[in-house]
Amino acid sequence: MFVNTELLEFIRLKNPLSSVIGKYEVITNACCKCPFCHSKTNSLNLFHDEIYTCFHCGESGDVFGFVSKIENLSFAETVRKMAKASKIYTLEELKQKNIFRFWDRFLILCEHYHIAADSVLREYSSDSSELTKEYLLGLKYSKEEPDTAPLENIMQMKYGTLKEFWNAAPEHIMEYLTAERKHNA
Ligand SMILES: [Zn+2]
C-alpha cells in the first residue's frame, strides 16, 4: 500500500470529520454522543473538525482513526476505502493505471520545456486564486475529470501550448511536441 501525505491530505479535504461522524451520531455545537462507549451525554468533542476526543472513554483521533476504529479496519484498508468512496486514485491505482490524464500531460509538458512543474505551480498559485491546493490535488488524484482550464490557460500564456495538446491521443503527444519545437526553431 503506497501512501503519501498529499494523498492523505486530499482524502481529508474530501471527508471533513463532522460529515463522517455525522453518519453515526447527531452533532450539536461540535459535540455528540460517543459511538464507542455509547455515552448518554454528548461526551465526544470535535476540535477544528479535525480531531475528536471523548471525555468519557478517552477515545481520540482524526478522521482516519475514527473510520478505522468504528469499522475495525487497518490503516491501509481505511485509506483505500476512503479513497474509493471519495473517487480518489490511490497511489497503487495511479501506478497500475494505463489511462493518460491531464496531470500526466502537464508533467510531460514541463519536462519538454525543461521546467520544474513545482515552480510553475508555486509561481501561479501565489497570485491566482484558482490554483488552490485542493484544485491541484484534484488534478493529481481525482477520478472525476476536474476543470483543467486554469492550468491550461497558464500554460498557453507562458508556453503557447495549444488546446490540441491536452486532447491529443497519448501516442501523438510526443509527435505534437516535436513538431511544435521544429516549428518554433
Ligand atoms: Zn466514548
Side-chain angles (χ1 to χ4, degrees):
M1 174 82 191
F2 305 102
V3 173
N4 74 352
T5 50
E6 267 194 341
L7 187 68
L8 297 183
E9 189 182 350
F10 194 40
I11 295 174
R12 241 186 256 281
L13 274 169
K14 295 271 187 190
N15 296 276
L17 186 60
S18 53
S19 72
V20 173
I21 295 184
K23 288 175 196 154
Y24 300 89
E25 302 289 344
V26 180
I27 301 170
T28 319
N29 296 328
C31 294
C32 64
K33 288 180 178 165
C34 175
F36 303 115
C37 66
H38 306 286
S39 58
K40 299 263 189 297
T41 58
N42 281 356
S43 60
L44 193 129
N45 287 248
L46 277 66
F47 300 98
H48 307 294
D49 211 358
E50 284 171 8
I51 301 287
Y52 69 91
T53 296
C54 171
F55 290 120
H56 191 250
C57 68
E59 191 57 45
S60 175
D62 64 0
V63 71
F64 294 105
F66 183 86
V67 173
S68 159
K69 173 95 183 169
I70 204 150
E71 304 217 9
N72 196 22
L73 300 172
S74 71
F75 181 70
E77 288 166 340
T78 304
V79 172
R80 206 174 286 131
K81 184 189 165 113
M82 290 177 78
K84 189 166 187 227
S86 329
K87 298 196 170 68
I88 290 170
Y89 283 113
T90 61
L91 296 186
E92 276 163 333
E93 287 172 317
L94 285 176
K95 264 204 152 180
Q96 288 160 1
K97 87 192 159 66
N98 45 20
I99 49 160
F100 204 62
R101 299 169 315 139
F102 179 87
W103 184 252
D104 305 305
R105 289 166 196 255
F106 171 67
L107 294 181
I108 284 181
L109 198 58
C110 289
E111 208 165 286
H112 177 75
Y113 288 111
H114 304 292
I115 49 174
D118 279 357
S119 72
V120 175
L121 301 177
R122 243 197 326 268
E123 182 182 343
Y124 285 94
S125 45
S126 57
D127 54 34
S128 158
S129 53
E130 283 176 310
L131 256 64
T132 60
K133 186 97 195 226
E134 184 166 8
Y135 172 75
L136 294 171
L137 289 173
L139 290 177
K140 282 189 195 183
Y141 299 112
S142 183
K143 284 185 177 174
E144 284 168 342
E145 194 60 47
D147 172 19
T148 58
L151 201 49
E152 276 182 46
N153 292 340
I154 284 167
M155 295 312 276
Q156 182 164 4
M157 271 192 315
K158 196 165 174 154
Y159 302 102
T161 322
L162 298 172
K163 283 262 179 239
E164 300 141 35
F165 171 79
W166 306 108
N167 301 324
E171 61 271 29
H172 293 138
I173 281 198
M174 291 323 286
E175 266 172 50
Y176 173 89
L177 286 173
T178 314
E180 186 229 24
R181 183 173 270 179
K182 280 193 189 129
H183 178 78
N184 290 337

